């Protein structure tokens, strides 16, 4: 949790519920709120001209979305869509800025969070330029698993094959074949269609 829910509520945040498939904000809209996920899964995505979806990120409970866009007057470069039922705390932009000014420890935590996001974006950007599907999928799993959990097969990858395809720019068929290849090479373990890394 980036900011405690109690502190957000104290500064005027309110809960809003979203159904699966409902859009939280659209690419091209002006950022007006800080959003923090109280429950559910949110996907940040874009669509190519041919309608193919590209997933920028998948976010879960306790994570925030679109916060970096509140620090300037640029439009959202992505959509945010509820992938499951979601309960999201929304705090108006001016109230969010006041919360950061009045709570330096929260500002510091926010800067660390933004630094992590930027770091992972650099890793993923380089990853997309790779032609090796194993490398692409492994990089996504490394980013998700993080540095805290080094044990092999201890992390259940919380993504579908389609979501892995959307995050890596690969076709879903390629992801399926590659995951099987990774399983046969002992890079991942597959149990009941779940992937463990």
């Amino acid at each position: 949790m980036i900011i405690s829910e109690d502190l957000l509520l104290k500064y005027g945040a309110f809960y809003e519920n979203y159904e699966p498939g409902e859009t939280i904000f659209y690419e091209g809209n002006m950022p007006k709120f800080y959003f923090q996920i109280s429950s559910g899964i949110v996907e940040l995505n874009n669509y190519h001209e041919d309608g193919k979806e590209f997933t920028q990120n998948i976010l879960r409970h306790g994570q925030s979305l679109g916060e970096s866009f509140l620090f300037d007057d640029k439009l959202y470069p992505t959509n945010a869509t509820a992938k499951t039922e979601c309960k999201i705390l929304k705090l108006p932009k001016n109230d969010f800025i006041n919360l950061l000014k009045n709570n330096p420890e929260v500002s510091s935590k926010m800067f660390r969070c933004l630094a992590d996001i930027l770091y992972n974006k650099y890793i993923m950007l380089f990853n997309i330029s790779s032609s090796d599907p194993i490398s692409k999928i492994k990089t996504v799993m490394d980013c998700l698993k993080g540095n805290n959990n080094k044990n092999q097969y201890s992390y259940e990858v919380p993504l579908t094959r389609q979501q892995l395809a959307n995050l890596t720019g690969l076709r879903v068929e390629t992801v399926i074949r590659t995951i099987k290849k990774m399983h046969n090479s002992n890079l991942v373990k597959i149990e009941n269609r779940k992937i463990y890394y």
Side-chain angles (χ1 to χ4, degrees), residues 31-90:
K32 295 181 180 173
F33 294 95
Y34 169 80
F35 298 93
Q36 188 166 292
I37 304 168
S38 182
S39 65
I41 299 172
V42 174
E43 182 177 271
L44 300 180
N45 59 30
N46 298 92
Y47 291 93
H48 294 282
E49 290 174 7
D50 63 2
K52 185 178 178 192
E53 180 183 5
F54 179 77
T55 302
Q56 297 277 354
N57 207 346
I58 297 173
L59 305 166
R60 291 175 167 67
H61 167 77
Q63 293 182 294
S64 58
L65 52 139
E67 66 281 359
S68 63
F69 310 123
L70 294 171
F71 296 107
D72 62 20
D73 291 324
K74 294 187 174 106
L75 304 177
Y76 284 122
T78 184
N79 304 299
T81 307
K83 298 309 279 184
T84 63
E85 287 186 2
C86 291
K87 184 177 182 182
I88 296 180
L89 266 165
K90 290 175 67 173

Side-chain angles (χ1 to χ4, degrees), residues 4 22 25 30 32 51 69 84 97 119 128 130 134 190 192:
S4 80
E22 193 173 349
F25 60 75
M30 182 60 74
K32 295 181 180 173
F69 310 123
T84 63
I97 300 300
Y119 175 82
I128 288 192
S130 171
I134 288 178
I190 301 172
N192 300 325

Side-chain angles (χ1 to χ4, degrees), residues 63-189:
Q63 293 182 294
S64 58
L65 52 139
E67 66 281 359
S68 63
F69 310 123
L70 294 171
F71 296 107
D72 62 20
D73 291 324
K74 294 187 174 106
L75 304 177
Y76 284 122
T78 184
N79 304 299
T81 307
K83 298 309 279 184
T84 63
E85 287 186 2
C86 291
K87 184 177 182 182
I88 296 180
L89 266 165
K90 290 175 67 173
L91 180 65
K93 178 179 177 175
N94 290 338
D95 296 326
F96 171 70
I97 300 300
N98 286 335
L99 184 153
L100 293 180
K101 284 179 184 173
N102 297 330
N103 298 275
E105 71 287 350
V106 175
S107 291
S108 179
K109 193 174 182 182
M110 182 64 61
F111 290 138
R112 280 193 306 275
C113 175
L114 291 172
D116 284 344
I117 291 167
L118 192 55
Y119 175 82
N120 285 334
K121 284 288 180 195
Y122 279 121
I123 298 293
M124 291 302 295
L125 184 61
F126 178 71
N127 178 49
I128 288 192
S129 69
S130 171
S131 60
D132 178 27
I134 288 178
S135 175
K136 287 184 173 200
I137 293 170
K138 191 174 176 316
T139 300
V140 170
M141 291 180 183
D142 284 338
C143 284
L144 290 170
K145 187 173 183 177
N147 295 326
N148 299 331
N149 194 345
K150 299 276 187 192
N151 298 331
Q152 190 174 24
Y153 311 138
S154 61
Y155 179 73
E156 182 183 329
V157 177
L159 304 175
T160 65
R161 273 65 167 175
Q162 183 64 60
Q163 288 171 324
L164 279 169
N166 292 347
L167 278 166
T168 58
L170 297 169
R171 296 171 49 94
V172 70
E173 297 83 4
T174 304
V175 169
I176 292 167
R177 279 193 311 273
T178 305
I179 293 293
K180 285 181 185 173
K181 201 181 292 185
M182 291 172 76
H183 173 76
N184 293 336
S185 301
N186 296 318
L187 290 172
V188 299
K189 182 168 72 171

